[in-house]
Amino acid sequence: MSFADFLEKSDGIHAVKEAVSGTTLVDEKSNSYVSRLKTIDTDIKADAFVCQLSTNDATKEKPLGKVSDRFDINSFDTQTVAGAIEYIIAYAQDTWNCPVIFYTQAKYDSEYYGEMVKLLLEIQKKWDIHISISGTMKKSITSQRRSENSTSSTTSTPQKRATKSGGSPRFRKFYMKL
């Protein structure tokens, strides 16, 4: 059961899911996150847009890119992780006028994924989005920051790993506050 299924069952939300195994944020194929985003009904009344920070981009080492200094949706390089994330945020905010939440995987041993999370934190500062970082990933980032002499923390994070049912109590609480 996905965490969207879990929230539907436990909290009665109606989730529109566009999950396709093996796809990436980076817009290289017709089934990328960016491409599938455009297939979602633009007339729905969304309370939030929730997006997973894809592990496939890390596995395939897609180009990270850089955070743009622009907000125009047509200015983002969707061939990079940063550009794809910014495009998704701009599209969701422009289309559904709702909060945007990105969440990370509970456990994914990859330095590259860690770099993607750092990039997402930079994007958060620009776009004022919500991020739910798994406890495992948070520990990794905290350790890296300490080694870089930085102790700041800028995100809401679940302290427990996601369960097999697809969600953590902290993420549910986080989502329900929006």
Side-chain angles (χ1 to χ4, degrees), residues 41-105:
D41 183 356
T42 59
D43 292 327
I44 62 172
K45 304 291 183 228
D47 293 318
F49 181 86
V50 181
C51 186
Q52 174 191 348
L53 185 64
S54 169
T55 58
N56 293 316
D57 291 81
T59 302
K60 297 174 183 179
E61 295 189 358
K62 297 298 181 186
L64 289 175
K66 296 187 185 290
V67 179
S68 170
D69 59 354
R70 304 190 61 192
F71 287 88
D72 175 28
I73 196 166
N74 296 312
S75 68
F76 305 123
D77 179 2
T78 59
Q79 300 296 302
T80 68
V81 173
I85 291 170
E86 290 200 82
Y87 184 95
I88 290 166
I89 295 166
Y91 187 92
Q93 288 181 346
D94 291 348
T95 304
W96 299 293
N97 192 28
C98 64
V100 174
I101 305 167
F102 271 81
Y103 71 96
T104 67
Q105 287 300 97

Side-chain angles (χ1 to χ4, degrees), residues 91-151:
Y91 187 92
Q93 288 181 346
D94 291 348
T95 304
W96 299 293
N97 192 28
C98 64
V100 174
I101 305 167
F102 271 81
Y103 71 96
T104 67
Q105 287 300 97
K107 184 176 181 181
Y108 187 68
D109 271 342
S110 164
E111 282 186 38
Y112 205 86
Y113 194 71
E115 292 301 314
M116 288 174 54
V117 173
K118 287 182 191 177
L119 182 64
L120 185 61
L121 291 168
E122 285 181 49
I123 291 170
Q124 179 189 38
K125 291 174 188 173
K126 174 182 173 182
W127 287 94
D128 194 31
I129 61 168
H130 305 278
I131 301 175
S132 179
I133 298 179
S134 75
T136 305
M137 185 59 65
K138 179 184 176 189
K139 287 178 190 174
S140 172
I141 290 170
T142 301
S143 296
Q144 289 172 357
R145 284 186 175 163
R146 282 188 186 138
S147 70
E148 295 168 0
N149 297 323
S150 173
T151 57

